[in-house]
Amino acid sequence: MPVVTRDWLNKLPKVELHLHLEGSLEPELMFSLARRNHIELPFATVEQIRRAYRFSNLQDFLDIYYQGANVLQEEQDFYDLTWAYLEKCRQQNVIHVEPFFDPQTHTERGISLATVINGISRALTDGESRLGITSKLIMCFLRHLSEASACDILAQSKPFRDRIIGVGLDSSEQGNPPEKFSRVFAKARELGLLTVAHAGEEGPAEYIWTAINDLKVSRIDHGVRAMDDPKLMAYLVATRMPLTVCPLSNIKLHVFDDMSQHNILDMLAQGVCVTVNSDDPAYFGGYMTDNFVALAQAFDMGKDQARQLVRNSIEASFADESRKRTMRALLV
Ligand code: HPA
Ligand code: ZN
């Protein structure tokens, strides 16, 4: 029996800093959007889709994830996707979220950036007014595409500057190091945007260094390979550079063989600002509570560790100080 129960973990107020909205597309919604938009899916049933969600690595997953996103066509589709995620947050007591979206996945298919951002941000606004869930939106560049393409999207996003807190970097990590995007990240910072980047998921610890030094990130997404480099570990502890770790994702994509091999609680004990997140919950088998439960089952995680993980997320978040204070006070 885990030291903490699922019920206690579900009630614990939580903050999510690493969530791809396209990765929260559940098979049921995929089907209903395909029907609404007259799109043919290569699957006949929800069960068939779920059975296809067996991945041997990141690229394997990304191929299916980009295919799934094809059903998103209209502004209302992006609204429904985001709203479904916020409903999950409400069920699992997630009180603040900083979701990612991948504009190029949609603009490359001829969907306008306005369609994408208007749908998402309308749902986020409703999430705050109706559910009390606060949010900050992060626009990710696809690292398998060129820096020129990222620059183009950044330029297109200028009319929506007030809806976006920062930019990130995702997709195929190996062979696409952070420094490939140094100039577009510099331009983003000049516009006042904050920066984050996926680094050290499948790629080496060196990519974490270049995300920090070249892209001047405020957080590292994943970052679990940091433990390969003692100097980097010392740096992360000294600076409290946050890592947005995604336990279930790491198992599904074989970053670790088994949850018992995961290093998040080891890093927590060493003083790294690690946080728990769900990444692509519709594909990886669970939302925020499920990620905490998976840790509780694999390790004898206690209430103090769970609370510290949430406290780290509050510290690492882009919420303003008064919201942070409110959230901290909820952690009894
Ligand atoms: N890594 C890289 N790119 C992604 C991921 C991830 O875990 N999820 C969605 N895009
Ligand atoms: Zn991710």
Side-chain angles (χ1 to χ4, degrees):
M1 262 303 275
V3 178
V4 288
T5 61
R6 181 182 177 91
D7 184 53
W8 188 87
L9 290 166
N10 197 61
K11 283 190 182 128
L12 180 70
K14 292 174 286 295
V15 167
E16 175 140 71
L17 306 178
H18 185 157
L19 176 283
H20 302 263
L21 284 169
E22 295 88 347
S24 70
L25 177 61
E26 290 287 345
E28 290 80 4
L29 183 58
M30 196 189 291
F31 261 109
S32 78
L33 295 181
R35 219 172 297 124
R36 196 155 94 186
N37 293 324
H38 311 289
I39 289 171
E40 188 103 30
L41 285 179
F43 306 102
T45 62
V46 164
E47 291 68 39
Q48 242 184 42
I49 297 191
R50 288 228 160 81
R51 248 178 280 133
Y53 291 176
R54 248 179 243 143
F55 317 110
S56 37
N57 54 38
L58 174 59
Q59 192 58 52
D60 224 28
F61 154 71
L62 290 171
D63 293 342
I64 284 206
Y65 161 84
Y66 295 131
Q67 184 187 59
N70 285 333
V71 301
L72 299 161
Q73 300 274 332
E74 308 291 335
E75 183 184 316
Q76 189 61 37
D77 304 341
F78 289 92
Y79 180 96
D80 292 348
L81 171 74
T82 308
W83 186 256
Y85 166 62
L86 291 168
E87 283 279 2
K88 289 280 188 189
C89 289
R90 185 188 55 78
Q91 289 162 15
Q92 299 202 344
N93 273 304
V94 179
I95 57 174
H96 176 79
V97 296
E98 300 187 0
F100 301 133
F101 72 108
D102 291 335
Q104 289 149 303
T105 299
H106 314 298
T107 54
E108 297 250 312
R109 302 182 285 120
I111 313 287
S112 79
L113 192 58
T115 297
V116 179
I117 296 184
N118 287 338
I120 293 172
S121 60
R122 188 158 54 84
L124 293 177
T125 302
D126 285 353
E128 179 155 1
S129 61
R130 291 203 221 147
L131 308 175
I133 300 171
T134 50
S135 57
K136 303 282 181 191
L137 183 61
I138 299 173
M139 181 174 82
C140 281
F141 303 123
L142 297 180
R143 69 202 305 161
H144 67 275
L145 300 179
S146 67
E147 188 182 43
S149 170
C151 277
D152 181 44
I153 279 292
L154 181 64
Q156 281 186 50
S157 75
K158 280 182 192 165
F160 310 100
R161 174 64 191 83
D162 59 322
R163 323 266 188 99
I164 296 168
I165 188 88
V167 296
L169 188 64
D170 63 3
S171 188
S172 321
E173 186 182 10
Q174 295 188 83
N176 293 300
E179 58 269 29
K180 177 177 165 187
F181 296 90
S182 293
R183 282 164 302 182
V184 68
F185 269 63
K187 279 188 195 167
R189 293 195 309 274
E190 276 165 26
L191 294 170
L193 291 158
L194 297 170
T195 64
V196 298
H198 283 53
E201 177 186 18
E202 281 187 345
E206 183 55 32
Y207 285 16
I208 302 174
W209 279 122
T210 51
I212 294 167
N213 293 325
D214 295 14
L215 306 187
K216 318 248 181 274
V217 294
S218 302
R219 304 193 289 248
I220 294 287
D221 296 314
H222 291 296
V224 291
R225 294 284 303 275
M227 274 187 84
D228 297 344
D229 180 343
K231 278 207 183 102
L232 177 56
M233 284 295 287
Y235 177 91
L236 297 178
V237 171
T239 59
R240 293 288 289 166
M241 169 65 70
L243 306 184
T244 64
V245 179
C246 309
L248 285 173
S249 163
N250 292 154
I251 304 310
K252 285 281 184 186
L253 300 187
H254 301 277
V255 172
F256 296 94
D257 294 335
D258 183 271
M259 197 59 85
S260 66
Q261 307 292 307
H262 205 289
N263 61 10
I264 181 170
L265 293 187
D266 197 354
M267 289 201 281
L268 181 71
Q270 291 189 48
V272 180
C273 185
V274 285
T275 65
V276 174
N277 307 273
S278 72
D279 207 3
D280 302 283
Y283 292 87
F284 299 150
Y287 288 78
M288 283 293 277
T289 297
D290 310 287
N291 274 274
F292 275 90
V293 167
L295 291 177
Q297 284 171 347
F299 306 97
D300 283 335
M301 183 170 76
K303 292 182 180 177
D304 286 348
Q305 283 165 301
R307 276 195 213 94
Q308 185 58 45
L309 288 164
V310 179
R311 231 176 269 124
N312 287 352
S313 294
I314 297 169
E315 176 185 336
S317 93
F318 297 147
D320 62 32
E321 273 313 313
S322 105
R323 178 65 180 146
K324 286 189 179 190
R325 224 173 301 122
T326 305
M327 293 196 285
R328 257 185 235 115
L330 295 171
L331 278 182
V332 282

Short mmCIF file of all heavy atoms in Angstrom, two decimals, residues 18 20 198 222 279, ligand 2:
data_model
loop_
_atom_site.label_atom_id
_atom_site.label_comp_id
_atom_site.label_asym_id
_atom_site.label_seq_id
_atom_site.Cartn_x
_atom_site.Cartn_y
_atom_site.Cartn_z
N HIS A 18 3.74 21.32 -17.70
CA HIS A 18 4.22 20.63 -18.91
C HIS A 18 3.09 19.77 -19.46
O HIS A 18 2.92 18.62 -19.06
CB HIS A 18 5.46 19.79 -18.57
CG HIS A 18 6.11 19.13 -19.75
ND1 HIS A 18 7.44 18.74 -19.75
CD2 HIS A 18 5.63 18.77 -20.97
CE1 HIS A 18 7.74 18.18 -20.91
NE2 HIS A 18 6.65 18.18 -21.67
N HIS A 20 0.98 19.29 -23.28
CA HIS A 20 0.74 19.67 -24.68
C HIS A 20 -0.76 19.52 -24.93
O HIS A 20 -1.30 18.41 -24.79
CB HIS A 20 1.52 18.75 -25.62
CG HIS A 20 3.00 18.76 -25.36
ND1 HIS A 20 3.88 19.55 -26.08
CD2 HIS A 20 3.76 18.11 -24.44
CE1 HIS A 20 5.11 19.35 -25.62
NE2 HIS A 20 5.06 18.49 -24.62
N HIS A 198 12.24 21.81 -24.14
CA HIS A 198 12.44 20.39 -23.85
C HIS A 198 13.94 20.10 -24.04
O HIS A 198 14.51 20.46 -25.07
CB HIS A 198 11.67 19.51 -24.84
CG HIS A 198 10.20 19.41 -24.59
ND1 HIS A 198 9.39 20.51 -24.47
CD2 HIS A 198 9.40 18.33 -24.44
CE1 HIS A 198 8.14 20.10 -24.25
NE2 HIS A 198 8.12 18.78 -24.23
N HIS A 222 11.31 18.23 -19.03
CA HIS A 222 11.91 16.90 -18.81
C HIS A 222 13.22 17.06 -18.02
O HIS A 222 13.18 17.14 -16.81
CB HIS A 222 12.13 16.11 -20.11
CG HIS A 222 10.86 15.66 -20.76
ND1 HIS A 222 10.00 14.78 -20.17
CD2 HIS A 222 10.30 16.00 -21.96
CE1 HIS A 222 8.96 14.57 -20.97
NE2 HIS A 222 9.11 15.32 -22.06
N ASP A 279 2.39 15.81 -19.51
CA ASP A 279 2.92 15.81 -20.88
C ASP A 279 1.83 15.63 -21.93
O ASP A 279 1.34 16.61 -22.48
CB ASP A 279 4.02 14.74 -21.02
CG ASP A 279 5.04 15.07 -22.10
OD1 ASP A 279 4.95 16.14 -22.71
OD2 ASP A 279 5.95 14.24 -22.34
ZN ZN B 2 6.52 17.48 -23.59
#
